[in-house]
Amino acid sequence: MSAHIDGSGDRRPTAGILALSMPYQVVAAVALAAAAVLACLHLAMVFLHVAPSNTVTKQHGQAVDDWIYPEFEQNWKLFAPNPLQQNVSVQVRAEVLSDRDGSRRTTGWIDLTAQDVDDIRGNVFPSHTQQNQLRRAIDWYGNAHDEEGRPKGMRGRLSEAYMRRIVLLRIEGAGARADVGGKVERIQLRRTARPVASPHWSTEKRSTESSSRQMPWWDITDADRSRTETSR
């Protein structure tokens, strides 16, 4: 804290930016201004993403999508007239080049959703990643592919790359949630949906039989690994 002399000759203490020397005041002001501009830009992008189609989004829709996806995607299903009524889990198996003897093998199915559930159960403050990353990623993948599993343009291909990055972070290398003991060369995902049973007071009849859908095998590329290493 420093002080300055007012018109009456009294010395009054100053704090915050004013307590800094002039060069540091300039740096702090520029940093605050840049943060404010970035915050305003982000809010504007989110607004354009959720707003109805308009002139700006028609002309610059790709730029908005590039900013939002995949980390900042907005989803309002909690307030939808028909909320989610099923539990979705994601499993993966991998073709691995063994670190021990150089052989290739295929792992069993690894339940990625169960890993998140274990981390959340009993955790007073579970992270956003534990609660939503995998769930939102598989939901995005489904919306970005047609009934035959073909990607719908760039969003579909981007959703596949995002899923590969998530899986690699969890099953390969130091710190992996389920280390498979080698270099992952290919992966295959399986999505299992289990409908939630109707409450006992409801007259609605709903099947609780689970259904599974396997996705195609994906080759792991050097680009997948370089992005994964950056995320660690």
Side-chain angles (χ1 to χ4, degrees):
M1 180 178 292
S2 61
H4 72 277
I5 301 175
D6 60 17
S8 64
D10 296 331
R11 295 176 63 86
R12 295 190 303 179
T14 58
I17 292 180
L18 294 178
L20 302 174
S21 62
M22 183 56 67
Y24 285 106
Q25 288 185 31
V26 173
V27 172
V30 171
L32 289 174
V37 171
L38 183 62
C40 291
L41 176 61
H42 177 68
L43 290 175
M45 288 295 190
V46 172
F47 172 79
L48 291 172
H49 176 67
V50 301
S53 178
N54 54 69
T55 302
V56 176
T57 54
K58 288 178 180 178
Q59 293 181 355
H60 305 288
Q62 187 60 51
V64 174
D65 287 347
D66 290 344
W67 181 277
I68 294 295
Y69 293 110
E71 283 80 8
F72 304 120
E73 181 185 7
Q74 304 297 302
N75 188 306
W76 308 109
K77 287 186 177 180
L78 175 63
F79 306 103
N82 186 23
L84 294 174
Q85 297 182 351
Q86 60 184 5
N87 291 316
V88 176
S89 60
V90 181
Q91 298 89 34
V92 63
R93 61 180 177 180
E95 287 189 1
V96 180
L97 182 63
S98 174
D99 289 335
R100 184 172 51 191
D101 56 13
S103 62
R104 285 180 170 81
R105 62 184 180 85
T106 301
T107 69
W109 289 103
I110 301 169
D111 195 333
L112 302 179
T113 302
Q115 294 176 356
D116 286 344
V117 172
D118 288 341
D119 288 339
I120 293 171
R121 184 175 288 116
N123 187 347
V124 180
F125 300 108
S127 71
H128 179 76
T129 298
Q130 293 166 343
Q131 297 179 80
N132 296 312
Q133 183 188 56
L134 184 62
R135 178 182 62 83
R136 293 290 299 278
I138 198 65
D139 186 52
W140 178 30
Y141 174 90
N143 292 332
H145 288 72
D146 61 22
E147 293 298 326
E148 302 298 324
R150 294 184 294 256
K152 299 177 182 178
M154 179 60 70
R155 286 194 63 199
R157 292 188 290 274
L158 183 59
S159 71
E160 294 176 4
Y162 188 45
M163 288 299 308
R164 291 197 298 270
R165 288 166 54 190
I166 292 174
V167 171
L168 280 178
L169 283 170
R170 296 186 179 212
I171 67 173
E172 183 182 81
R177 303 276 295 280
D179 193 351
V180 294
K183 181 180 179 181
V184 177
E185 297 191 324
R186 295 203 305 162
I187 61 171
Q188 183 181 35
L189 296 178
R190 180 174 68 186
R191 177 186 184 275
T192 301
R194 298 179 177 86
V196 177
S198 302
H200 65 87
W201 44 261
S202 174
T203 58
E204 181 182 2
K205 302 298 181 182
R206 184 188 308 161
S207 172
T208 58
E209 184 177 353
S210 63
S211 60
S212 295
R213 179 178 180 181
Q214 293 186 11
M215 302 170 194
W217 283 93
W218 293 331
D219 293 328
I220 300 301
T221 66
D222 291 338
D224 295 326
R225 285 196 169 82
S226 63
R227 290 180 177 272
T228 300
E229 291 300 322
T230 302
S231 302
R232 290 187 187 276

